Amino acid sequence: MQKLYHLFMKSFKDQKNVKNLTEQSKKCACKPGQNPMQVALDEAKKAFKKGEVPIGAVIVRDGKIISKAHNMREKKQNALLHAEIVCINKACKKLHSWRLENCEMFVTLEPCPMCAGAIVNARLSRVTFACQEKTSNDHILETILQSPRLNHTCQSVFDNTFETEASELLSTFFKTKRNQS
């Protein structure tokens, strides 16, 4: 797995283009030259190395990263430990509040319904994702984030700046898993 990961990373060595930021990412001046989605991708790569589905998430408030996480379902044997949920938990602890108002999340893959529910209930203002879930043609993310049943809504943004890298990381992971079976 480690060798395959290094081959994957080598193939993207020349494709990293941190300067190709979207306007919203430019507003999130985490560290000079650091894009929050790149940090989320770094978290996804950590998950890959650990044999977890390579998804990473970052929460930003006032231009600063307040939490970052990756999937931990296999390590902890807990179905709830998606990157988004772990990231929300860390942010809540850091801010001493379950209300993450004025915070936004950057995640490498479009959130699942469970994570979408957690995102809107945590009062995040926006979630930006790098690649779309291949099976999501039902607009469930938007349906949950904009539900009139909830007393808060959250904007979702698909930013394809890092789509290729995020998508290839997932594809490589699942291809490796299938070959091991």
Side-chain angles (χ1 to χ4, degrees), residues 124-155:
L124 289 160
S125 61
R126 176 171 49 201
V127 59
T128 302
F129 52 97
C131 67
Q132 295 176 306
E133 171 62 49
K134 290 180 180 179
T135 61
S136 72
N137 54 6
D138 58 2
H139 305 288
I140 190 109
L141 177 65
E142 292 83 6
T143 301
I144 294 169
L145 295 181
Q146 298 296 318
S147 175
R149 293 177 60 192
L150 302 171
N151 63 359
H152 177 74
T153 59
C154 178
Q155 178 187 11

Side-chain angles (χ1 to χ4, degrees), residues 94-163:
K94 185 166 186 167
L95 297 177
H96 305 289
S97 176
W98 63 268
R99 292 178 184 89
L100 300 179
E101 295 168 326
N102 302 314
C103 293
E104 56 187 296
M105 178 179 281
F106 294 82
V107 62
T108 56
L109 179 66
E110 180 179 358
C112 72
M114 175 183 72
C115 292
I119 288 166
V120 73
N121 278 293
R123 307 281 202 277
L124 289 160
S125 61
R126 176 171 49 201
V127 59
T128 302
F129 52 97
C131 67
Q132 295 176 306
E133 171 62 49
K134 290 180 180 179
T135 61
S136 72
N137 54 6
D138 58 2
H139 305 288
I140 190 109
L141 177 65
E142 292 83 6
T143 301
I144 294 169
L145 295 181
Q146 298 296 318
S147 175
R149 293 177 60 192
L150 302 171
N151 63 359
H152 177 74
T153 59
C154 178
Q155 178 187 11
S156 67
V157 177
F158 169 46
D159 176 359
N160 67 355
T161 305
F162 294 96
E163 179 181 21

Side-chain angles (χ1 to χ4, degrees), residues 38-100:
Q38 182 63 58
V39 176
L41 270 167
D42 292 344
E43 285 295 314
K45 292 169 191 172
K46 288 179 188 176
F48 187 106
K49 288 180 182 178
K50 296 175 181 178
E52 298 278 356
V53 175
I55 299 171
V58 169
I59 294 179
V60 175
R61 183 183 214 181
D62 298 327
K64 294 180 183 150
I65 292 176
I66 59 168
S67 68
K68 57 186 179 176
H70 55 271
N71 276 4
M72 298 179 69
R73 293 188 322 165
E74 296 299 325
K75 179 181 180 185
K76 301 286 187 174
Q77 290 298 296
N78 186 330
L80 302 176
L81 296 182
H82 290 203
E84 299 94 327
I85 303 292
V86 176
C87 199
I88 288 169
N89 279 331
K90 287 181 175 183
C92 289
K93 285 179 184 175
K94 185 166 186 167
L95 297 177
H96 305 289
S97 176
W98 63 268
R99 292 178 184 89
L100 300 179

